[in-house]
Amino acid sequence: MTSLTALRKQETPRHTAMPPLPATPRLAVDGVTLEYRTPRQVVKATQRVSFDVQEGDRFVLLGPSGCGKSTLLKAVAGFLSPAEGEIRLDGQQVVGPGPDRLVVFQEFDQLPPWKTVKQNVMFPLLASRTLGRREAEHRALVTLEKVGLDAFADAYPHTLSGGMKQRVAIARALAMQPRILLMDEPFAALDALTRRKMQEELLTLWKEVGFTLLFVTHSIEEAQIVGNRVLLLSPHPGRVRAELGCEADSLSNLGSASTKSRTQQIHQLLFEHEGRP
């Protein structure tokens, strides 16, 4: 005979747990085609590119020169409007530049030379009326301490090395507490040793501050080091080739078999011929 307990178990309805609803990504690029005009024609920079960046991601756009990765970054910043598709930040369509998206470029002349390091970091806070002068000075000094430049607060840009200037530019952007930090090949003009040091410092700063990063590079190694997710773009016009997770590819893990295998995989995906499976 079937026991009463067994009968009760049979009669008890089974409730299937509903999967959690997907969170709104920090950044959504949805089917974005970008174009620019020449005297003779309209040229496509990207074609129907889609990807999501979650809060806290270190998301890297990787591809050969001319694939539209920097153009995509400018569109996310609000400097360009898509010919097709949509870009959303926290679910809201991007229609122009804003202090919630700050860009760090590779050029070293992005710092006004007549302002001290502290004044450079304070400038966007004051210009946007985000903070008053006293509060802006405090936040600037706190941010400079995080990037290791508090001792150079009263120095002028011409007295700094290239790597230090980039750290000031990063501090200036982070002081605004943007929802996403945009970096367009920020270390490309640095020598190899300084570039490696800046990569280390960027990752250390990310661990401390926890910002969301969209990073553009044409270096496979840098993409693996900096990114936890990497989007591969095809040659012109840029299309999505693949998206890979690179969380395990750290500076201390560059020589591992798994990292080398992923490097080879990325290389094959980037440089395979169009139309080839």
Side-chain angles (χ1 to χ4, degrees), residues 105-147:
F105 299 99
Q106 65 174 275
E107 294 84 4
F108 294 152
D109 59 356
Q110 56 190 297
L111 303 175
W114 59 89
K115 292 182 180 293
T116 65
V117 166
K118 180 178 68 177
Q119 291 168 343
N120 264 286
V121 177
M122 290 173 59
F123 176 71
L125 293 167
L126 297 174
S128 64
R129 298 184 179 179
T130 301
L131 296 176
R133 180 165 294 277
R134 181 177 297 179
E135 295 83 359
E137 181 176 11
H138 174 72
R139 187 180 293 182
L141 290 173
V142 169
T143 311
L144 284 171
E145 184 178 7
K146 289 179 179 178
V147 299

Side-chain angles (χ1 to χ4, degrees), residues 163-226:
M164 293 168 74
K165 289 178 183 178
Q166 283 300 75
R167 276 193 277 168
V168 176
I170 293 170
R172 184 176 61 179
L174 288 178
M176 287 292 291
Q177 298 179 351
R179 285 189 274 175
I180 185 167
L181 178 63
L182 312 174
M183 303 188 78
D184 188 7
E185 302 197 54
F187 311 141
L190 301 173
D191 64 83
L193 292 178
T194 305
R195 183 172 186 166
R196 179 55 52 83
K197 181 175 177 59
M198 289 300 300
Q199 292 164 352
E200 293 175 354
E201 290 178 351
L202 178 64
L203 292 173
T204 300
L205 191 60
W206 175 84
K207 290 177 182 177
E208 181 176 345
V209 179
F211 52 87
T212 304
L213 175 66
L214 181 61
F215 190 99
V216 165
T217 184
H218 60 266
S219 165
I220 294 176
E221 181 185 86
E222 182 167 70
Q224 289 181 262
I225 291 171
V226 170

Side-chain angles (χ1 to χ4, degrees), residues 39-103:
R40 294 185 178 182
Q41 61 183 336
V42 176
V43 180
K44 283 187 177 180
T46 67
Q47 185 166 350
R48 297 180 180 176
V49 171
S50 297
F51 61 89
D52 289 344
V53 179
Q54 302 297 332
E55 183 177 359
D57 264 348
R58 305 186 313 275
F59 197 95
V60 176
L61 301 178
L62 173 65
S65 297
C67 72
K69 52 189 184 295
S70 292
T71 308
L72 272 168
L73 199 79
K74 291 175 183 176
V76 172
F79 300 136
L80 299 173
S81 297
E84 182 181 2
E86 187 176 78
I87 300 173
R88 298 182 298 275
L89 187 69
D90 290 328
Q92 299 297 314
Q93 184 178 1
V94 171
V95 294
D100 48 13
R101 287 151 287 135
L102 274 297
V103 187

